[in-house]
Amino acid sequence: MTALRRFERPVVVRVGRHSTERIVFDVNEAANILLRDLHRQTERRRVAMDASLQVLRGEAHPPAARRAFVAAALEPKILRSD
């Protein structure tokens, strides 16, 4: 089941100014970052959370969640590598 939630390519983000870069390999990690580290309630964050939940419920595929996560990570400028 975990393989069904993995991203084809990882996404690299840096959440805090003084934190290290994090390599996000799957939907679970992306959802945790969206939930715990991105505090602003934006439309892109909401879409990314919805896409992650759809994948976790088996209703969507990881590429959709990955695209939404990348878009949400662009807003607060935490995206380091796509």
Side-chain angles (χ1 to χ4, degrees):
M1 188 71 149
T2 303
L4 299 176
R5 297 176 180 170
R6 287 186 66 84
F7 293 150
E8 199 170 288
R9 285 183 339 214
V11 178
V12 180
V13 296
R14 181 150 82 202
V15 178
R17 188 180 308 174
H18 301 291
S19 67
T20 60
E21 290 183 343
R22 291 171 63 181
I23 301 171
V24 181
F25 291 98
D26 63 32
V27 174
N28 288 328
E29 292 176 84
N32 281 330
I33 290 170
L34 290 165
L35 188 62
R36 295 189 173 125
D37 298 315
L38 299 186
H39 303 292
R40 283 189 55 222
Q41 299 291 328
T42 66
E43 182 64 16
R44 287 182 180 177
R45 180 183 177 271
R46 187 193 64 75
V47 168
M49 283 298 301
D50 287 345
S52 296
L53 288 172
Q54 287 176 356
V55 171
L56 294 173
R57 290 190 300 245
E59 299 168 356
H61 298 287
R66 186 185 186 283
R67 283 190 301 274
F69 178 66
V70 167
L74 284 170
E75 276 186 322
K77 297 181 173 82
I78 66 167
L79 184 67
R80 293 296 173 248
S81 175
D82 172 19

